[in-house]
Amino acid sequence: QVQLVESGGGLVQAGDSLRLSCVSSGRAIGYTSMGWFREAPGKEREFVAYAHWMQGRTYYSDSVKGRFTITRDDARSTVYLQMNNLKPEDTAVYYCASHHYGTYSYSSSYDSWGHGTRVTVSS
């Protein structure tokens, strides 16, 4: 069973950048598509970004497109989320997850989740 551990969150100001990391242990991610979700206080978990196991196929939510970039290093079993030009509305706990089956933007399509890393963006 894959175990996912996120890191890289923190408190930043609007306009700053952060890079989140998600390390997989227990199973290599080479043929596993991966996603990032976030959950803001009082809101439901929402899709952020997705990277298909075939390199180069990535998808983003409209709210982060052009600012966030998902990449993967299969040799290190690590997925990254580079977040630029952060906004206060990006404040949330960010989770990475391994895709199992179904629509990539649905959280129910993922079978393993990390515990999350908190990102707080001040105005």
Side-chain angles (χ1 to χ4, degrees):
Q1 183 177 357
V2 64
Q3 293 180 322
L4 303 172
V5 179
E6 304 95 336
S7 63
L11 172 63
V12 296
Q13 293 185 330
D16 286 350
S17 298
L18 277 177
R19 189 177 79 157
L20 307 183
S21 300
C22 171
V23 179
S24 171
S25 62
R27 187 179 78 199
I29 65 168
Y31 292 101
T32 302
S33 298
M34 302 293 293
W36 283 97
F37 286 74
R38 67 186 181 186
E39 191 170 320
K43 296 186 177 181
E44 294 186 353
R45 191 169 296 188
E46 65 171 355
F47 166 75
V48 174
Y50 169 86
H52 193 272
W53 63 265
M54 295 180 68
Q55 294 282 359
R57 291 178 57 181
T58 57
Y59 303 94
Y60 301 90
S61 68
D62 288 342
S63 62
V64 307
K65 196 175 298 181
R67 300 187 298 121
F68 290 13
T69 303
I70 185 172
T71 57
R72 51 190 300 153
D73 183 340
D74 291 347
R76 290 182 169 83
S77 290
T78 303
V79 180
Y80 302 98
L81 185 68
Q82 177 67 43
M83 307 186 296
N84 297 330
N85 190 23
L86 283 161
K87 303 176 180 180
E89 50 263 43
D90 295 319
T91 295
V93 177
Y94 284 72
Y95 300 89
C96 73
S98 60
H99 183 259
H100 176 62
Y101 178 81
T103 305
Y104 63 80
S105 59
Y106 293 173
S107 60
S108 58
S109 300
Y110 295 76
D111 59 355
S112 293
W113 294 81
H115 292 294
T117 184
R118 185 176 300 276
V119 173
T120 303
V121 184
S122 63
S123 57

